[in-house]
Amino acid sequence: MLFHCFVLAKRTFPKTKTRQVHLSCTVTSEIFSPRVFVYNILCIFFCISALNSRSCSCPPLQRPVSKSFFYNFIDITNSTDSVRRVVIGADTVSIVLCQNSTAHNYTAVADISTLSLRATYGLTATMGPADNALAVFRNSTTYRGDDGYKESQIYIESLQNKDLTWEKQYEFNFGFDFGVLRNRISLSSDIYSRRGFDLIGLIRTSGMGGQKWKYANYADMKSWGVEFTLNTKNIQRKDFSWTSNLTFAYNHNEITNLESTSSIFDLMVAEGAPLEGYPVRGLFSLQYKGLNGQGIPQFINEKGEQTSTGINFQSTDPTYLKYEGSVDPTVTGGFDNQFKYKAWTLGLYFTFQAGNKLRLDPDFSASYGDYSAMPKDLKNRWMKPGDERYTNIPAIPSSYQYANIENLDVAYNAYNYSDIRVANGGFLRLKELTLSYDFNGEWMKAIGMNRLQLRLVASNLWLIYADKKLNGQDPEFFQSGGVSMPLPRQLTLSIRTSF
């Protein structure tokens, strides 16, 4: 890798004691990696510090040849806004580099209004879900039938867990703020990479120590992501303006080491579960293989056999399960537009998410009673031989079938946790529509009023897109708080004033 910076111009501002250096930095390398990326950033700040020379270079970083890439950094300013610091605390070590730049008749790129770079690297430690490593004792009063026989007692609330240590995470973050055309277009972005280790969670034990489950440092995880905010002033006129704001975030995480074993049922529940090589909350399913001639669902079991009732939910072999995706969305964002015409302002705010999967409610059963809430899907169920060619909804078993088919409950429970009962969690929603009017006139001054605004806000007006499998359930708040009903539409009228 070759890194070289050339000083285009130097400029000093005596009043503010600010020194501005215009740099043209070029990086050519054979491979892109986080290590090379950090090296490049550190070289840039090294060159910024070299104010007494016309150019500076960094020694080559030897890496295997893979592919080529090219960077060109222009107009990086050394001013009083620059920050270079190392922060060391009891549980945190971080290195922060920041360089801010503001356009002052730039010679290289005249349209750049703002340019700032920042880079951080740190180690943090947290307690995670655990609350103790030493034994916890509590005092209480014994239960006796007669108050005269009650006495004080000490009981053990939590056993000692001396091997437990902090959750730790290394994090690297690189970000920049960029504006052009007098900041009519501005972009703020951050890219991060995290490596967590000694993560804390519950593991199953042999019970010899007095606990069936206990907290332990049981996993390592890596993740990376990108976030950005784009602001644009699309139209600016005397009586009309249109501005937009787009936010976007992408995150990917993966368990790299896991010292616990989950049953296949744990991996198939709606909350998801960790499995090495997959996201921290991955969702898995049994492979559905259609209905048999009696309308009973069939699946593939751990032996590779097609069966209806031969499913062992306590199996710890996940190899025959189908991976659906992460329960947590990998993509989230929003898009806001503001239109202003004289005293009127109209706002439209859209939200979206994608990349996650949802487990539909386990509504199907081998038997139903008078108090059962039966799913709408049963309208399209299997009802006669041959229907298995047209529907995936199993039959309602007869009392004879329920009495004579062994473990029939297993078949219907497996259906609830099969790949046929998984929906896409992505959605696009018109989250909020706002209309306001700002009054203005001499009559306001006459009564001592500085501001008067009439504002109407409509929330949750339109779920533009969602998976049809949800049957009206809201993917954004699916099973939130124990309910899955659509969000109510709301209209709010308000008056804002000041004197």
Side-chain angles (χ1 to χ4, degrees):
M1 183 189 74
L2 177 63
F3 181 97
H4 185 79
C5 277
F6 185 78
V7 179
L8 298 177
K10 297 182 180 180
R11 188 178 180 186
T12 303
F13 301 90
K15 292 183 179 180
T16 60
K17 297 181 180 180
T18 300
R19 194 168 192 181
Q20 189 179 81
V21 179
H22 294 182
L23 296 178
S24 176
C25 299
T26 302
V27 184
T28 57
S29 180
E30 311 303 332
I31 189 171
F32 178 81
S33 70
R35 180 187 174 204
V36 173
F37 191 77
V38 174
Y39 183 81
N40 295 343
I41 299 302
L42 294 178
C43 282
I44 290 174
F45 282 93
F46 166 76
C47 286
I48 291 174
S49 302
L51 300 180
N52 296 322
S53 59
R54 288 290 299 174
S55 65
C56 64
S57 299
C58 291
L61 180 65
Q62 300 299 325
R63 298 286 296 182
V65 175
S66 174
K67 60 181 179 179
S68 299
F69 69 96
F70 178 83
Y71 289 119
N72 187 22
F73 294 87
I74 299 177
D75 292 333
I76 299 175
T77 305
N78 188 5
S79 69
T80 54
D81 293 331
S82 303
V83 179
R84 303 175 186 82
R85 70 173 184 268
V86 178
V87 181
I88 302 177
D91 58 358
T92 303
V93 179
S94 63
I95 301 174
V96 181
L97 299 175
C98 182
Q99 182 68 35
N100 295 326
S101 173
T102 303
H104 293 285
N105 298 322
Y106 280 174
T107 58
V109 183
D111 290 335
I112 294 181
S113 308
T114 302
L115 175 62
S116 67
L117 303 176
R118 55 187 176 274
T120 63
Y121 181 79
L123 170 66
T124 60
T126 61
M127 291 179 60
D131 55 11
N132 74 293
L134 300 176
V136 177
F137 299 92
R138 300 289 185 187
N139 68 299
S140 180
T141 303
T142 60
Y143 175 76
R144 299 286 189 267
D146 191 324
D147 290 344
Y149 293 96
K150 289 184 177 181
E151 54 190 340
S152 298
Q153 68 171 357
I154 295 177
Y155 68 94
I156 302 174
E157 183 179 80
S158 298
L159 295 177
Q160 184 180 12
N161 197 353
K162 61 185 179 71
D163 296 324
L164 199 63
T165 185
W166 296 82
E167 286 188 342
K168 293 172 280 292
Q169 177 176 272
Y170 287 108
E171 179 173 355
F172 167 73
N173 183 89
F174 171 74
F176 67 88
D177 299 307
F178 179 73
V180 295
L181 303 176
R182 296 183 179 179
N183 286 326
R184 286 194 62 173
I185 302 176
S186 60
L187 176 66
S188 178
S189 181
D190 286 276
I191 303 171
Y192 60 86
S193 175
R194 298 166 181 163
R195 183 172 66 86
F197 56 100
D198 291 336
L199 303 183
I200 298 174
L202 286 172
I203 63 170
R204 190 193 304 269
T205 72
S206 63
M208 295 295 292
Q211 290 176 294
K212 184 178 179 180
W213 294 87
K214 68 183 296 185
Y215 282 110
N217 301 100
Y218 80 124
D220 301 335
M221 182 180 71
K222 65 179 181 181
S223 65
W224 69 273
V226 58
E227 301 173 352
F228 73 79
T229 300
L230 176 64
N231 293 286
T232 60
K233 299 176 183 177
N234 307 309
I235 300 176
Q236 286 184 308
R237 297 289 185 267
K238 179 181 179 181
D239 294 329
F240 179 76
S241 65
W242 171 28
T243 60
S244 298
N245 175 271
L246 174 65
T247 59
F248 177 89
Y250 173 82
N251 175 269
H252 172 80
N253 62 74
E254 179 184 333
I255 298 293
T256 57
N257 178 48
L258 187 64
E259 300 295 335
S260 69
T261 302
S262 301
S263 66
I264 65 166
F265 184 79
D266 294 332
L267 297 172
M268 296 188 298
V269 296
E271 295 77 17
L275 184 66
E276 188 169 331
Y278 295 92
V280 66
R281 294 213 302 160
L283 184 64
F284 296 80
S285 297
L286 291 167
Q287 298 181 56
Y288 172 75
K289 291 300 178 181
L291 304 176
N292 64 15
Q294 296 178 296
I296 309 301
Q298 303 174 102
F299 316 92
I300 297 297
N301 65 9
E302 58 187 327
K303 299 178 182 178
E305 302 169 342
Q306 187 167 303
T307 179
S308 292
T309 59
I311 302 294
N312 178 16
F313 286 100
Q314 298 308 314
S315 171
T316 56
D317 177 17
T319 55
Y320 66 100
L321 298 180
K322 177 184 176 182
Y323 171 64
E324 302 288 355
S326 173
V327 172
D328 301 308
T330 56
V331 174
T332 57
F335 185 44
D336 184 35
N337 286 274
Q338 297 287 327
F339 303 89
K340 188 170 184 179
Y341 176 70
K342 294 185 178 179
W344 291 93
T345 302
L346 174 66
L348 296 171
Y349 179 52
F350 299 85
T351 59
F352 60 87
Q353 74 177 36
N356 64 313
K357 298 293 183 178
L358 300 174
R359 170 73 65 198
L360 299 179
D361 291 333
D363 292 330
F364 290 87
S365 174
S367 63
Y368 299 94
D370 293 338
Y371 299 102
S372 300
M374 304 175 74
K376 180 181 178 182
D377 301 288
L378 283 177
K379 293 193 303 182
N380 301 317
R381 69 185 182 277
W382 185 100
M383 299 183 69
K384 63 182 185 299
D387 284 352
E388 62 271 13
R389 295 193 295 269
Y390 310 107
T391 182
N392 289 319
I393 309 300
I396 298 177
S398 65
S399 57
Y400 176 83
Q401 288 176 308
Y402 188 77
N404 290 276
I405 299 178
E406 187 177 0
N407 296 326
L408 189 57
D409 287 320
V410 172
Y412 281 78
N413 200 29
Y415 182 82
N416 287 324
Y417 295 98
S418 66
D419 52 2
I420 201 79
R421 297 292 294 166
V422 174
N424 186 354
F427 70 86
L428 174 63
R429 178 198 301 280
L430 175 56
K431 185 72 172 180
E432 193 171 272
L433 186 148
T434 304
L435 180 65
S436 63
Y437 183 82
D438 290 286
F439 292 89
N440 190 15
E442 294 297 330
W443 62 272
M444 294 176 59
K445 297 180 180 179
I447 61 176
M449 184 179 294
N450 297 323
R451 181 193 182 195
L452 178 61
Q453 183 189 71
L454 186 65
R455 181 182 176 91
L456 177 66
V457 179
S459 303
N460 306 314
L461 281 184
W462 185 18
L463 184 59
I464 302 171
Y465 166 78
D467 197 327
K468 293 181 179 179
K469 281 187 174 183
L470 293 171
N471 285 329
Q473 293 174 296
D474 195 302
E476 186 176 9
F477 297 95
F478 187 75
Q479 295 180 339
S480 175
V483 297
S484 306
M485 299 298 292
L487 288 175
R489 295 181 177 90
Q490 295 180 343
L491 290 176
T492 305
L493 180 63
S494 61
I495 298 178
R496 297 181 177 183
T497 183
S498 62
F499 293 91

